[in-house]
Amino acid sequence: MPELLPGIIIALPFLAAAIIRIPGINVSRILVDCFSVATAAGTTVLAAILYTHSMEVPVVHWIGGWVPREEEVTGIALVADGISSGFILLTSALTTAAFLFTFRRYKTMGSLLHILTLIFLGSFSGFVLAGDLLTMFVFLELMGLSSYVLTAFKFQDDAPVQAAFNIAIVATTGAFIFLMGVTMIYGIAGTPNIAEAVERLAQIPASPALAVAIALLLTGLAIKSALFPFHFAHADSHTVAPAPQAGLFSAVLMQAGLYGIARLGGLLLDLDALNPDTFRILLIAGGILTAFIAAIMSVVQNNLKRILSFTGISHIGIAAVGVGIFNTEGLAGTGLYVAGHAAVKMSLFLIAGVLLHRFSSVYRGKLAGSCRKNPVLPVMLIVGALALAGVPPSGLYGGKVMIGAGLAGSGFSWIIILLYLAAAITGAALIRFAIGLIWTEGIDKDADPMFIREGSRETEQDGGYAYMTAIPAVLLSIGIIIPLIPQVTGGFEKITEYSFDRDRYVESILTGEAEPAIDTTPLHIWKAGDLAKGILSGLFAIIAGTVMAISRFNFSRITAGPLGFIRNMHSGHVGDYLIWMMLGTACAAAWLLWQL
Amino acid sequence: MIELVDNLLYFVAVWLAIIGLYGMSTSRNLIHMVMCLCVFQSSVWILLLTVGYRRDAIAPIFSDVSPDEEGIDPVIQAITITDIVVGAAVIAILLAFSVHIHKRFGTLDPDMLNSIKK
């Protein structure tokens, strides 16, 4: 029975999306809302069941019963291990929260918002569970398609259509670069199945073609996961999508690309023929650059959703460093980091949704002093900002400590300071905005040089503020208490230990038998030194944020110098974005070829 | 000579990828940019078909020939069809976005789109 679950988890949201279109169901708003919530919640339950089954050994589903014969793959595999089923559990839970948030009040254009979100959920599960590269590509592009249309959802405004065009061009080109890599791997190994390809590639010597193929595969996924220099269009897209969907993009869509990098990188770069350090250095350097550039950009924004989108990109940079270390602590830390960040970031985007619902704006100048009487929302923003900065006991703190342990294990221990600094800057950017909601000193209400032509309401009727505030409050508290549960940190280490083990992966797919995972001793994450680092970065965020909030100096006016240069890179021009993308791809391929 | 012809297909794929990307990044019209994306996608399809092609092999239809006969890889052809469908969906969506951009901005020149400022 558990063998069927991966197929059902993918099919359920697609089926629900089709059923919603049936005339009669789609006229009743309440019915569509209830049906979507039920589907997402059902997927969450199924994912939880699948997770309990796949904790020890992977659950492999061969579509149509085409099992391998004599260790030769004949069909299409869906592979659920601890990491993939846990990731689906996270995403379907967040989708349930998004549907609960949109309940009754959000504009949905018929039932289009629900259908696109359900397609997003289904294709996400498909991408994460895919056992061969071509299934991965198809679901990657389907996930992209739903996200492009969701980006353009408020097409009455100017910015959403432009941002949707930008992200569609850039991300599609990225997906086809990925497909180019898939084709080359197919040409070299003669099979699209990941396990079989890995097994065959281990027997052939390294060649320039293999290096280029791996570079194309990994840059294709890096374009989807918004690493520098591929993040520009993603920042635009997350800014203009409806708030709950933007939260999903920032919390799990980019991280799906990073999951692909971890999965394929762990399997393909473990080959004796290739030097894994080249890839490590590439990912760690790219991650640090992403973390800092996006953190700096988040400070100079006046639009809450744009601040949040840049903080999300900054944190994906930090997670990419964790993946780049490629040892158990680093990968397990990244898992915990992504889970904690997803809960916190989703709740922050939902808070932006509440602000937009209540005050019809997310701009600092227009919202100045608006929450003075009832400071619940600014307080929640500040708590979220501190969690982002890595103050214990948030999931981001636990993840960073484990990434730090992984960095120390591979001799790069100084990098962790940079990661704390980048995270503290993102926290400061958010605190600056939150203080502006209460205190109007230093805010220029009339002239907003950063005005993006977007900001019409996403909701239809007034009211329901308490209900809409409760959902992000619950998510925020979950994101904060995650590492306090001792099973969680140990569980992440246990499932990464076996999920990214190449031999175990190959064996469990080709023969259907695998040794069960062994228990590991969980890392102790409550050491005084780590706690001090977390609290210090929180203090830095509070002080820097307060200083920026009350000073009359407006960062958003700077257009020259290094900061101006970084800002001008984010030009909103799709041609510029494509040139950055080509440059990044060429650099990655050249680096892998040079280090061959 | 035959080897040269076989390798030529790889050069065609690389050449189409390069001119497609060049056209996209220097384009002054969004419809033109979408067509350049189509050229870029075609390069990937040609690469796929080239990888799967085998000289002296028959089409993979075994209704009237013995299954022992050498055939061209059918998986790769199925994949190419699937990817053409995926590509068509993306092109359709991009053209729809272009129509909306023309409605909102009155132009299709990417240089004139100014709704997102840094």
Side-chain angles (χ1 to χ4, degrees):
Chain A
M1 186 57 198
E3 285 74 38
L4 285 177
L5 275 178
I8 295 172
I9 284 177
I10 297 174
L12 191 65
F14 284 114
L15 202 63
I19 289 173
I20 286 178
R21 283 306 292 167
I22 293 175
I25 292 180
N26 61 359
V27 288
S28 161
R29 177 66 202 269
I30 296 290
L31 204 58
V32 170
D33 272 331
C34 292
F35 194 72
S36 311
V37 170
T39 309
T43 315
T44 315
V45 172
L46 290 180
I49 297 172
L50 183 63
Y51 179 76
T52 53
H53 279 288
S54 57
M55 272 280 278
E56 301 288 328
V57 286
V59 176
V60 185
H61 173 65
W62 293 96
I63 295 174
W66 288 90
V67 293
R69 292 173 195 175
E70 292 155 10
E71 304 204 6
E72 287 274 325
V73 172
T74 51
I76 296 169
L78 299 174
V79 186
D81 49 26
I83 288 286
S84 54
S85 52
F87 204 9
I88 293 172
L89 178 62
L90 175 71
T91 303
S92 43
L94 290 183
T95 312
T96 316
F99 279 136
L100 285 173
F101 190 75
T102 51
F103 209 83
R104 272 185 63 205
R105 305 216 186 264
Y106 256 69
K107 290 180 193 161
T108 55
M109 290 209 289
S111 44
L112 199 59
L113 190 72
H114 296 93
I115 291 173
L116 288 167
T117 314
L118 285 170
I119 291 177
F120 172 78
L121 176 61
S123 43
F124 177 90
S125 311
F127 173 74
V128 172
L129 291 172
D132 70 295
L133 293 165
L134 292 155
T135 317
M136 240 175 151
F137 165 76
V138 171
F139 280 118
L140 186 71
E141 195 50 20
L142 197 53
M143 191 160 68
L145 275 175
S146 55
S147 77
Y148 312 151
V149 183
L150 282 171
T151 303
F153 199 76
K154 294 197 282 175
F155 64 92
Q156 302 89 341
D157 294 338
D158 285 351
V161 275
Q162 190 189 344
F165 193 90
N166 291 359
I167 184 77
I169 284 273
V170 171
T172 300
T173 314
F176 273 83
I177 288 176
F178 176 75
L179 181 61
M180 229 182 235
V182 172
T183 313
M184 290 178 75
I185 293 279
Y186 193 111
I188 298 166
T191 169
N193 186 285
I194 300 172
E196 206 176 25
V198 166
E199 200 195 23
R200 290 190 193 169
L201 289 176
Q203 286 150 18
I204 57 173
S207 61
L210 185 59
V212 171
I214 290 176
L216 290 178
L217 271 184
L218 298 179
T219 39
L221 289 168
I223 291 168
K224 286 278 180 183
S225 61
L227 295 180
F228 177 82
F230 312 120
H231 69 278
F232 306 107
H234 291 265
D236 300 347
S237 155
H238 301 173
T239 308
V240 297
Q245 276 69 26
L248 280 179
F249 296 169
S250 194
V252 289
L253 177 63
M254 299 188 294
Q255 284 76 355
L258 200 63
Y259 166 86
I261 293 179
R263 165 107 306 158
L264 295 183
L267 295 170
L268 292 172
L269 292 164
D270 209 9
L271 308 175
D272 305 328
L274 290 169
N275 178 6
D277 278 343
T278 56
F279 171 70
R280 268 190 204 138
I281 292 167
L282 199 63
L283 206 51
I284 290 178
I288 293 173
L289 269 176
T290 312
F292 272 96
I293 288 175
I296 290 166
M297 281 301 290
S298 71
V299 171
V300 297
Q301 304 300 327
N302 288 333
N303 174 333
L304 177 58
K305 278 163 83 184
R306 199 156 169 82
I307 294 176
L308 292 176
S309 68
F310 274 115
T311 57
I313 291 167
S314 174
H315 288 272
I316 194 96
I318 297 173
V321 174
V323 171
I325 314 160
F326 251 109
N327 53 20
T328 308
E329 283 97 4
L331 288 167
T334 309
L336 181 56
Y337 199 82
V338 165
H341 174 256
V344 173
K345 184 50 56 71
M346 187 75 189
S347 85
L348 290 172
F349 264 106
L350 294 185
I351 294 169
V354 178
L355 282 171
L356 199 55
H357 175 49
R358 197 162 175 179
F359 304 107
S360 305
S361 179
V362 281
Y363 288 96
R364 190 164 175 256
K366 294 202 169 171
L367 286 175
S370 58
C371 291
R372 190 172 288 175
K373 282 180 193 157
N374 183 7
V376 175
L377 293 174
V379 167
M380 278 166 72
L381 278 179
I382 290 173
V383 172
L386 291 179
L388 285 186
V391 173
S394 69
L396 293 101
Y397 162 79
K400 252 193 242 96
V401 172
M402 283 158 87
I403 291 174
L407 280 167
S410 57
F412 293 112
S413 50
W414 51 274
I415 289 177
I416 194 66
I417 305 291
L418 295 179
L419 301 186
Y420 272 107
L421 183 61
I425 295 173
T426 64
L430 203 51
I431 287 177
R432 165 177 172 266
F433 187 91
I435 289 177
L437 293 177
I438 304 171
W439 203 13
T440 51
E441 191 69 26
I443 298 181
D444 195 350
K445 280 191 184 181
D446 304 318
D448 198 340
M450 309 281 292
F451 201 78
I452 297 174
R453 278 192 272 152
E454 182 271 344
S456 66
R457 293 187 65 179
E458 297 168 355
T459 40
E460 285 170 325
Q461 341 153 359
D462 291 335
Y465 304 122
Y467 168 74
M468 286 172 97
T469 315
I471 297 168
V474 171
L475 282 173
L476 193 58
S477 30
I478 291 174
I480 289 171
I481 59 164
I482 281 181
L484 289 175
I485 311 161
Q487 283 89 346
V488 170
T489 48
F492 270 111
E493 283 187 50
K494 184 177 166 184
I495 56 180
T496 37
E497 179 84 34
Y498 96 88
S499 296
F500 293 103
D501 184 336
R502 179 164 66 111
D503 296 331
R504 197 192 290 267
Y505 182 86
V506 171
E507 195 190 318
S508 63
I509 289 175
L510 294 184
T511 64
E513 290 161 15
E515 296 164 38
I518 38 164
D519 281 324
T520 48
T521 46
L523 191 74
H524 184 59
I525 59 170
W526 306 107
K527 285 180 195 142
D530 294 325
L531 288 170
K533 274 182 210 154
I535 291 166
L536 270 180
S537 68
L539 279 177
F540 176 88
I542 290 176
I543 294 168
T546 316
V547 168
M548 282 192 290
I550 60 174
S551 66
R552 291 217 158 261
F553 182 71
N554 193 345
F555 285 95
S556 53
R557 292 191 193 282
I558 303 173
T559 49
L563 186 60
F565 174 73
I566 292 178
R567 275 185 57 194
N568 287 330
M569 290 197 306
H570 302 72
S571 58
H573 190 299
V574 61
D576 295 354
Y577 294 177
L578 281 166
I579 295 200
W580 278 109
M581 192 192 73
M582 282 190 271
L583 189 71
T585 313
C587 285
W591 170 252
L592 257 82
L593 273 177
W594 183 48
Q595 294 285 326
L596 196 66
Chain B
M1 189 61 196
I2 285 175
E3 266 181 26
L4 186 74
V5 173
D6 282 352
N7 286 331
L8 200 61
L9 279 171
Y10 289 106
F11 289 113
V12 170
V14 172
W15 172 244
L16 282 182
I18 290 172
I19 58 166
L21 283 171
Y22 173 77
M24 274 158 76
S25 50
T26 56
S27 177
R28 300 292 301 272
N29 180 306
L30 295 181
I31 307 274
H32 171 260
M33 189 183 282
V34 176
M35 292 305 117
C36 292
L37 177 69
C38 214
V39 171
F40 176 66
Q41 291 175 342
S42 309
S43 88
V44 186
W45 299 326
I46 288 179
L47 188 66
L48 267 167
L49 291 174
T50 314
V51 162
Y53 184 71
R54 289 176 78 175
R55 203 163 278 284
D56 311 322
I58 60 164
I61 304 164
F62 298 103
S63 57
D64 52 352
V65 291
S66 150
D68 299 331
E69 199 88 22
E70 248 185 44
I72 292 167
D73 190 352
V75 175
I76 216 107
Q77 300 186 343
I79 292 161
T80 313
I81 290 283
T82 315
D83 295 341
I84 288 174
V85 174
V86 171
V90 176
I91 299 287
I93 282 184
L94 277 168
L95 290 176
F97 288 163
S98 307
V99 171
H100 270 294
I101 286 178
H102 193 260
K103 261 188 208 159
R104 304 288 336 163
F105 296 89
T107 176
L108 283 174
D109 187 345
D111 295 350
M112 308 296 281
L113 307 181
N114 55 358
S115 69
I116 300 170
K117 282 183 194 153
K118 286 114 197 184

